[in-house]
Amino acid sequence: MSEKKNDELYKYNHTVGLVTNASYLTQNLALLNTEDYFKADCLAVAHEGHINYIPLVNTLRRCKYVPICGGCDRGKGIIKWMRWVKINNDTYFVCLSTIGIQFYDIELTDVQFEFDFKELNGRLSLPLGACVLGDTLFVGTAMGMIVMFKSMDDCVKMTNHLQVSPFLYLEGANDCLVTVGREEMKSYKVEDGELNPVAVLKESLLLYSVLKIFDDNLFIGHHTGELSLMSFPNLNVIIKQKMHDGEILAIDYSSNKQILLTAAEDLFFRAWKVNESQRTWDCIYEVKNEDRPYCGIGFTNRNCTEFCCVKSNSLIVDFYIETTEETFDSSDDDFITDIDTVPLC
């Protein structure tokens, strides 16, 4: 396998081995970060119904290969979404799969709580996406239902559920949610346990592949290789640009330096810096893999001096570090604002 680079802003630094290979899953990389982190504590990569858990800082902890359920169902189901989340003062590793939702402790030692969604409507409803707003985890399901979970008395509990129009994905930040359907996108403000509509964007057959929110910015990677940057929750398009020649599979964004990472089916991953005067993204670094696409990418620290990426069906995670002392001045980029805290995601 050979790699092609267009400049030397970053350089390959080292590789971390997985227990088994990474599944072809959109955004198949979770990093455990803290608000003042210098380096991500550990990472997780999914393989079908199992999770590769790899410590990055405390190497005395061992790597793990964790099934999403035990007993006779051990390893059954397919992982669709995973992330470390903080609810109240407790941090959990949350996994959405074809058999429901599982809450693990922070080191993936034990399942703290699981829920299969059957008791809400009499049959399994596939969870599609999740986000933490305040002290509550909101999980969207395939039946247009949003289920709420809270951590109370050292225990996770399902507290309520809301019915909205059917959607394909859910994300959220601050006190707002966004749902994405085949023909429209809707944003809501959560107030007193109710969802109050904020904005609706009509777009026929909205073909998205990955969707993430950073502060007041909504990033949508499309099957066409385009990426949309929108204001959130107002859903106003700021930039829409062709970034890749294939489906975008993973993104990450640093509000500190306003650098965007993208990985796509065209075998490239790229780093981008916003060009305010042109209202476009300028590619500042890229790497092409010769045999398989990157399915996960993310910064491992706040100052963007290191990031890691994983390829589909690969047994390794590659780490890249910054090679220049140049700092990017974000003071003039007023339409993408800095954030004060970094979420556990």
Side-chain angles (χ1 to χ4, degrees), residues 51-204:
I51 304 160
N52 289 275
Y53 167 83
I54 311 294
L56 298 177
V57 176
N58 184 354
T59 55
L60 295 178
R61 290 181 296 179
R62 63 184 181 86
C63 301
K64 299 178 186 178
Y65 184 49
V66 183
I68 59 175
C69 57
C72 61
D73 292 326
R74 182 181 178 87
K76 291 185 179 179
I78 302 296
I79 296 168
K80 298 296 183 180
W81 181 100
M82 60 182 186
R83 190 179 297 176
W84 273 278
V85 302
K86 191 170 185 177
I87 310 175
N88 287 331
N89 294 318
D90 300 315
T91 300
Y92 299 93
F93 183 84
V94 178
C95 177
L96 306 183
S97 71
T98 54
I99 58 174
I101 182 171
Q102 293 80 35
F103 288 77
Y104 291 84
D105 60 277
I106 191 171
E107 295 183 11
L108 280 73
T109 303
D110 297 300
V111 175
Q112 305 293 300
F113 177 81
E114 54 189 338
F115 189 76
D116 62 11
F117 300 100
K118 290 180 180 178
E119 63 186 66
L120 293 178
N121 55 12
R123 61 192 180 93
L124 178 65
S125 184
L126 180 66
L128 301 171
C131 64
V132 175
L133 303 183
D135 62 353
T136 305
L137 177 74
F138 291 77
V139 179
T141 77
M143 305 303 293
M145 190 176 296
I146 298 175
V147 186
M148 291 173 277
F149 298 89
K150 287 190 177 183
S151 175
M152 299 178 292
D153 302 322
D154 299 322
C155 176
V156 178
K157 298 178 182 178
M158 192 279 284
T159 59
N160 198 2
H161 64 280
L162 303 169
Q163 188 74 44
V164 297
S165 55
F167 55 87
L168 300 175
Y169 197 75
L170 172 144
E171 248 300 0
N174 302 323
D175 58 353
C176 296
L177 292 173
V178 61
T179 60
V180 182
R182 293 192 181 278
E183 298 186 353
E184 65 182 10
M185 179 184 299
K186 293 182 177 180
S187 63
Y188 303 88
K189 187 176 180 65
V190 180
E191 297 176 307
D192 299 324
E194 300 293 329
L195 299 182
N196 296 317
V198 175
V200 178
L201 176 65
K202 297 282 187 178
E203 187 171 343
S204 181

Side-chain angles (χ1 to χ4, degrees), residues 274-339:
V274 73
N275 184 326
E276 184 191 7
S277 61
Q278 300 295 321
R279 300 187 80 81
T280 59
W281 295 100
D282 293 335
C283 182
I284 57 175
Y285 183 73
E286 69 176 23
V287 170
K288 183 179 181 181
N289 183 51
E290 295 296 343
D291 54 359
R292 56 187 70 123
Y294 296 91
C295 57
I297 195 165
F299 288 110
T300 61
N301 54 28
R302 293 195 65 167
N303 59 4
C304 306
T305 60
E306 182 184 83
F307 66 87
C308 62
C309 53
V310 61
K311 297 178 285 288
S312 173
N313 202 35
S314 174
L315 281 166
I316 59 174
V317 180
D318 292 324
F319 285 73
Y320 290 79
I321 60 171
E322 192 177 45
T323 60
T324 175
E325 297 300 322
E326 177 185 359
T327 58
F328 295 101
D329 182 8
S330 62
S331 60
D332 294 328
D333 298 333
D334 56 0
F335 68 99
I336 303 182
T337 57
D338 289 344
I339 58 174

